[in-house]
Amino acid sequence: MDMMPRTRTVGVAVIAALVLLSGTSIALAATDAGTVQDNETENETATVTFENQTSNGTAVAVNNTTLPEGGFAVIHAAAPVDGDNATDDENGDNATDDENETVTNMSEEYEPGDVLGNSTHLESGDHENVTIELNESLEESQVLIAMAHQDTNDNQTYDFPEADDPYVTDEEPVTDDAMITLEEDQNETAE
């Protein structure tokens, strides 16, 4: 009869060991899942979506931006790209091949120019409808470029060009462009 208590003790010890091992497996699985999630965040790329819009000329809205490490949505003037997209007309002025052609990818025709305004500091992650006050009011309808910038010096203040370089994908800044139509221009067209 002395064997019964010893068998019971060994059985309880085996069950306790199994519980501990399964708890460790669950903890390791949770750690692995957390690591995968962290890696996904690190592998996210910055994005910016800037759609054609009507504005009063003092502010514009960036529709969406993803900033993996936080930063700023920045509005740049759009400078025409010199190159193959334009031809000289008979007066020597640059003209597109088809004056009435609808441009579907303006990015090929424009490159970022001067900074016209920037958002406040945005935390890492996705942001929608980011309103950006412009440093000076627009005087005419025009194409503008939105660009995702980092906060490279971690001071939550936009300090480009000294710091806060653009996010880059395939060695190119992350940008999108849009036609900004001034409300007064729209009213004149409607009349």
Side-chain angles (χ1 to χ4, degrees):
M1 299 238 163
D2 287 336
M3 295 230 328
M4 191 78 107
R6 183 166 187 222
T7 305
R8 202 159 116 192
T9 304
V10 171
V12 169
V14 168
I15 291 172
L18 289 173
V19 168
L20 286 174
L21 287 175
S22 67
T24 302
S25 296
I26 291 170
L28 288 174
T31 302
D32 289 343
T35 303
V36 168
Q37 187 174 11
D38 289 344
N39 288 340
E40 286 175 5
T41 302
E42 290 173 12
N43 292 333
E44 277 186 41
T45 56
T47 63
V48 63
T49 303
F50 190 40
E51 296 177 359
N52 296 346
Q53 59 194 270
T54 301
S55 168
N56 64 5
T58 63
V60 296
V62 172
N63 302 80
N64 298 335
T65 187
T66 300
L67 305 172
E69 297 175 18
F72 309 91
V74 179
I75 301 300
H76 290 260
V81 173
D82 294 330
D84 301 331
N85 291 338
T87 58
D88 287 341
D89 65 14
E90 54 193 47
N91 298 326
D93 297 326
N94 282 341
T96 60
D97 291 333
D98 181 359
E99 293 292 334
N100 298 321
E101 181 179 332
T102 302
V103 177
T104 56
N105 187 357
M106 291 184 282
S107 298
E108 294 175 5
E109 295 184 31
Y110 296 97
E111 60 188 7
D114 295 336
V115 172
L116 301 180
N118 60 275
S119 69
T120 58
H121 181 266
L122 302 170
E123 296 296 324
S124 63
D126 299 327
H127 303 274
E128 293 184 1
N129 299 318
V130 178
T131 299
I132 299 175
E133 298 290 327
L134 301 176
N135 300 332
E136 294 181 18
S137 295
L138 299 177
E139 294 183 17
E140 61 185 9
S141 297
Q142 60 190 281
V143 175
L144 297 180
I145 296 175
M147 185 181 295
H149 279 253
Q150 304 172 60
D151 184 12
T152 58
N153 56 7
D154 295 323
N155 68 355
Q156 298 187 356
T157 300
Y158 182 67
D159 296 319
F160 186 77
E162 293 80 20
D164 304 337
D165 295 327
Y167 280 94
V168 176
T169 300
D170 297 329
E171 300 181 17
E172 293 291 328
V174 175
T175 65
D176 194 11
D177 46 47
M179 181 64 181
I180 309 303
T181 303
L182 294 184
E183 291 171 350
E184 57 198 42
D185 289 351
Q186 187 175 18
N187 291 338
E188 289 173 12
T189 305
E191 292 175 0

